[in-house]
Amino acid sequence: MKSYTLDQAEGLLIGKKGTEERDEYEFELKLELIGDMIKTARKKRKLTQEQLGELVGVKKAQISRLENSTGNVTFETVMRIFNALGAKLNLNLQM
């Protein structure tokens, strides 16, 4: 049985770094992580999706889509959600 390093396995299963396939996978993963962070913060604040939507000024369905990474959302909406949750968001840009 052949062994692979994590980088090798990712390259084989997801695509090599820098390819369109790999970039799309990593982008989707980041969206999923944002949704998970919002859901975790909302539950920690003991809010329903509907209550959070009212605080932000959006419908429950939009909160649900964001938490489940099934819809497009603007950065402005994400910022408003984190502000409504009293959560601090740090961004790190690497070039």
Side-chain angles (χ1 to χ4, degrees), residues 50-61:
E50 187 171 353
Q51 290 169 325
L52 179 56
E54 288 173 8
L55 288 172
V56 177
V58 300
K59 295 183 187 250
K60 173 192 178 284

Side-chain angles (χ1 to χ4, degrees), residues 52-70:
L52 179 56
E54 288 173 8
L55 288 172
V56 177
V58 300
K59 295 183 187 250
K60 173 192 178 284
Q62 189 168 355
I63 300 296
S64 177
R65 284 192 302 270
L66 179 57
E67 287 184 357
N68 294 299
S69 304
T70 58

Side-chain angles (χ1 to χ4, degrees), residues 13-79:
L13 298 171
I14 303 167
K16 294 187 187 267
K17 287 186 179 184
T19 63
E20 186 175 329
E21 180 181 39
R22 178 69 174 262
D23 290 345
E24 185 167 329
Y25 168 81
E26 290 179 356
F27 178 77
E28 293 293 325
L29 179 61
K30 290 173 187 169
L31 289 180
E32 212 169 298
L33 291 173
I34 289 172
D36 288 345
M37 286 186 275
I38 289 170
K39 186 175 192 174
T40 299
R42 176 182 60 77
K43 287 184 173 187
K44 186 176 181 182
R45 300 290 190 272
K46 298 183 184 341
L47 294 170
T48 65
Q49 290 177 339
E50 187 171 353
Q51 290 169 325
L52 179 56
E54 288 173 8
L55 288 172
V56 177
V58 300
K59 295 183 187 250
K60 173 192 178 284
Q62 189 168 355
I63 300 296
S64 177
R65 284 192 302 270
L66 179 57
E67 287 184 357
N68 294 299
S69 304
T70 58
N72 290 332
V73 66
T74 65
F75 186 70
E76 178 185 8
T77 301
V78 171
M79 294 299 297

